[in-house]
Amino acid sequence: MARKIRGEKERTQHEQARQQAASTSAGISSSSYPVHPSNPWALDKPVPRAYAHPSEADIDHDMQPPLNDQSPSLPPDANQFDFRQHATPRPTRPNPQPWQPFQTRLDFEVAELAHEAAMSKDQTNHLINLLHRCMRGSESFTIENQEDLHNKWNSASHSLTSFVFDAQHLSKYNGTSFVCFFDEPWTADSFWDVQSKLPEGGKPLAFILYADKAKPSSFGRAKGYPVVARCANLPVETQNGDGVGGGRVVGWLPIVKEDKVHSGKPAFVNFKNVVWHKSFKKVLESITEHSHTGCWVECFDKIARWFFPFILILSADYGEQCVMALIRGLRSKFPCPVCLIPRDELSSMLVTYPLRSSAETQATIASARAQRTMEAKEDKLKSQALRDVDSAFQMVANTDVYHATSFDRLHAHGGLFSNHLWVEFQRLVNEKGRNAATLVDNGYKALPRWRNLNHFDNVMDISFTDGTKNEDISKLLVFAAHDVFSPDSSDSDIGYSLLCSIRAFVDLDMYTTFEVHTKETIVAGRAALNTFSDLIDLS
């Protein structure tokens, strides 16, 4: 009987616990938090503000304890909870000044901009000072938007871009005397000579033209490559940049499709030269007339000047230079596009040969055309390795294609070093055996790394790479391979002479890298050229 009474008492207590748990869904007063930690139904985090005075619709039923026979017992102090129903709170009115504690909305938005832009203390102070200047009314702020600001930046860049109108001769004191130095195109003799020929008040407008056949593009079924123009009246860093004043594509030259039947024949080669020069005439049309008569232009300083455009420099590889100069190329009797050095004397630089000129070339072509027979005509043309084609450059005044053709340092590394000196070095090393090749590779690998200098672990297998890497290989070669060919070994005479030639080539190349030259460095560079020529003859 006692067991039965005790069972009914436990069921009664259990039922009371269920009723108390269900009553919590009607509302929870603020006095019920925090919940005693022994309560297994209590939340383990603060109740959100939305549930501080919940209505019946706000009840989270997931928070209720499970109502089954396995429900855990309530804590001893469960009867002390205050269960009351609260009315739904009234909606709060919107704050008419949500930017507080800032005094005005403008203050808040300026602060917000400074925060979003992560402005420094100085930048923030500068912005605030600008706003105060506007508030005082002493100045007007007229920029409308970002596009308006960008347009004003462009206009300002044109006004601030340095532009030189006259040739200059500059000198510096070297401790004992004044020597001329050359750092920009307008400080060179060619610029000065052209302006000396212009009418009084005339200003030279010099162009640098660059044609790169290695960058073709397709136009439907046709292909062409770009002609890039740069203004030599601008500083070098400006004209070589990508922004305002930098190089611009001014035309495209067609690439003549090779014909297997006629490819390589003189008539077909002449045809390709004709196409090139007729196309280039189209590129030069816009400056041809002005080069003779001049053109008045109002400059950024509101002063009108009388400009005479001309071509100062033509930059291209050897193949393109042959087309520009109308010469027959490497297999002809006179393969140089600048002077009349015979082909058999190309390795010798000790003798100075006559320079080519546009006037003499045109006179030779005219004389050849006057010959009665084709054989006589060809003999006359071959006497200077010329082609019977009208040059596009004869249209432009004060322009001599043979004086404008420039030395290309990049192709010196891609041609003279990589195709001749480096190939010969690899051959001689490989003839000495595998140990010698390994010694060279280990020498390059052991050299310390240096900023802007390519590091090599294996070079003996390199047969083709870009001009920059060829340049770095040449700079490091003597240091990495000086112990491969000894001057004391009879079987290394040729290899040692070649190392000396490469050393002289690096010295000569050093002078070609100078961005500022003086008459003294030019003399020293020519002496380095003679040294290199002598060593090439010996090796």
Side-chain angles (χ1 to χ4, degrees), residues 195-272:
Q195 187 164 9
S196 300
K197 301 175 184 177
L198 299 180
E200 185 177 356
K203 306 295 182 181
L205 181 60
F207 287 102
I208 300 172
L209 298 183
Y210 173 69
D212 190 357
K213 201 171 184 179
K215 297 181 179 179
S217 294
S218 297
F219 305 90
R221 296 183 179 180
K223 289 185 177 181
Y225 59 99
V227 178
V228 178
R230 304 180 189 275
C231 182
N233 296 67
L234 297 172
V236 171
E237 64 270 13
T238 301
Q239 58 178 271
N240 288 336
D242 296 329
V244 176
R248 293 292 182 268
V249 175
V250 295
W252 294 83
L253 300 178
I255 299 176
V256 179
K257 186 177 181 180
E258 292 292 332
D259 189 328
K260 294 182 179 180
V261 178
H262 303 288
S263 182
K265 295 181 179 179
F268 187 72
V269 177
N270 284 345
F271 168 73
K272 291 195 293 184

Side-chain angles (χ1 to χ4, degrees), residues 321-340:
Q321 287 181 358
C322 290
V323 178
M324 292 176 174
L326 292 175
I327 65 171
R328 302 196 177 203
L330 199 58
R331 297 181 181 180
S332 64
K333 293 181 180 180
F334 303 96
C336 179
V338 177
C339 70
L340 293 172

Side-chain angles (χ1 to χ4, degrees), residues 237-300:
E237 64 270 13
T238 301
Q239 58 178 271
N240 288 336
D242 296 329
V244 176
R248 293 292 182 268
V249 175
V250 295
W252 294 83
L253 300 178
I255 299 176
V256 179
K257 186 177 181 180
E258 292 292 332
D259 189 328
K260 294 182 179 180
V261 178
H262 303 288
S263 182
K265 295 181 179 179
F268 187 72
V269 177
N270 284 345
F271 168 73
K272 291 195 293 184
N273 277 261
V274 170
V275 171
W276 192 96
H277 280 271
K278 284 187 175 294
S279 301
F280 214 89
K281 284 182 179 179
K282 295 292 183 181
V283 176
L284 300 176
E285 272 184 353
S286 61
I287 66 171
T288 298
E289 182 179 352
H290 298 316
S291 70
H292 295 273
T293 63
C295 177
W296 287 93
V297 177
E298 182 178 323
C299 302
F300 59 86

Side-chain angles (χ1 to χ4, degrees), residues 97-116:
Q97 295 181 335
W99 50 79
Q100 292 182 344
F102 295 95
Q103 294 186 10
T104 66
R105 178 172 179 173
L106 180 61
D107 290 349
F108 169 76
E109 291 183 356
V110 171
E112 184 180 36
L113 175 62
H115 176 70
E116 290 180 352

Side-chain angles (χ1 to χ4, degrees), residues 161-180:
T161 299
S162 177
F163 194 101
V164 177
F165 302 104
D166 299 293
Q168 300 176 3
H169 275 174
L170 304 178
S171 300
K172 72 171 187 175
Y173 189 69
N174 64 358
T176 57
S177 62
F178 284 92
V179 294
C180 290

